[in-house]
Every structure is written in structure tokens, then in C-alpha cells.
Amino acid sequence: MMAQHTATALTNATAPTGKVHPLLVDLPPAPPALTAHAVWVLDGIEKAKEGQDENYCAFLDVVAREIRKAGDASGVLADVLAVLEKAKTPKTSCGVHSWCVETGDHYDHISACISATCTDAYGREVLPVNVIDWGMGVKVGLLDEDLTPVEARGRIADIRAHLDTVEALVADVEAGR
């Protein structure tokens, strides 16, 4: 870090008698000159604020103010990263459901979404399914419905039967009937 020097300025002081006397006063230390890296980072901070909410902009303003005080960004950014790293909550698995992909402290539970390995003619997933528990019991998201496990098994049986019928139709086509 660059050394900061205090400056002395000549100013006037008025005595109780009304006579004006020259007076030397110490001025606060001048901020250090900004390094090229600091100027580059400060420019990036200004760009990063565009379209952001008030709290995020206020945070970036604090970082920018510290960079201006230091004259360089490296130490300030290292300190910010250390604080952010310390503030991270550990990513612990869900302690309620083994299928839940949420980590840390949470109340809503959701599984990964699975779908058939093929897509339809428009590239959309076929039969996407996931499991959810939003505090009202576990539901299976299937065919755009939230089903109980028993209801989901019924729908799966219906789909299997339908696919068996489709397979029989394909067999008839292949046999030339």
C-alpha cells in the first residue's frame, strides 16, 4: 500500500481582538492514487450496478469506497471474498426425504425431474415426473397432476396398458394386417 502523507495548509485565523493571523493547519491525509487495476475494478463495479436492486448497489458502493480508500482493489477484493466464503452455509443433504434435491435448511421438498429418454416431435420432454412435499403430504407430479403415490401407481398402470395397446398396433402394422 502506498504511504499516505499529511499536508499542511496556510489558512487564516481571527483572534478575539479581530486581528487576522496566518495559521498552519494539518489537512487530512489525501487518498492514495488509484492503481490501474483499481480503476478497472471500479469501472466493473459501476457496470455491475446497472439494473440491480438497491441493496446490491449499496453493497457494491461500500466495496468501491474501500477500494478508493486503499488505492488498490486486490486487498479489498480478497477481504470481500473471505467474508462471503465465511458466510456460506454448508450444503447439507435433506434430512427428511432421500429423494429431495434441496440442501441446507428448507421446508419445501422436491425431487429431480425425470422424463422419458425421448422427446416429442417438438423437442419437449415426454412424461416429466417429479416428487414434491410442500407440507401437505408427498405428491407425485405426473400428467400435470399432483397425485398420491397410490394414484400415481394407477396412472402408471393405465400408461403401461396404453403402451401395450400401442405396441400391439405396431405389431399389426408390421405383420401387414
Side-chain angles (χ1 to χ4, degrees):
M1 182 189 282
M2 302 169 76
Q4 293 184 1
H5 301 286
T6 59
T8 306
L10 186 60
T11 187
N12 295 324
T14 305
T17 60
K19 185 173 179 189
V20 176
H21 299 282
L23 181 68
L24 292 176
V25 293
D26 286 335
L27 298 176
L34 295 174
T35 65
H37 181 246
V39 171
W40 180 77
V41 170
L42 290 169
D43 183 55
I45 287 173
E46 286 306 310
K47 289 177 184 169
K49 289 170 39 177
E50 292 174 12
Q52 297 298 327
D53 71 31
E54 181 179 319
N55 289 334
Y56 186 71
C57 290
F59 168 74
L60 291 177
D61 287 340
V62 169
V63 173
R65 186 170 45 250
E66 292 301 312
I67 291 171
R68 284 187 188 93
K69 267 199 261 182
D72 189 31
S74 299
V76 174
L77 294 178
D79 290 346
V80 169
L81 287 175
V83 168
L84 292 175
E85 189 64 34
K86 189 176 179 182
K88 277 186 183 176
T89 55
K91 300 286 186 190
T92 57
S93 301
C94 178
V96 177
H97 299 293
S98 61
W99 46 261
C100 180
V101 296
E102 297 294 320
T103 58
D105 190 23
H106 61 279
Y107 302 100
D108 294 336
H109 306 277
I110 189 163
S111 73
C113 186
I114 60 171
S115 58
T117 57
C118 60
T119 57
D120 67 12
Y122 302 102
R124 295 180 299 217
E125 294 180 330
V126 177
L127 286 174
V129 178
N130 70 328
V131 179
I132 55 175
D133 181 359
W134 291 331
M136 298 175 292
V138 176
K139 299 290 184 176
V140 178
L142 173 65
L143 300 173
D144 293 327
E145 296 181 279
D146 293 338
L147 306 169
T148 66
V150 170
E151 293 168 331
R153 287 194 177 279
R155 293 285 192 196
I156 293 166
D158 293 343
I159 293 167
R160 256 193 205 104
H162 174 70
L163 292 176
D164 288 343
T165 304
V166 171
E167 192 170 32
L169 181 59
V170 169
D172 284 347
V173 169
E174 290 175 332
R177 295 182 248 179

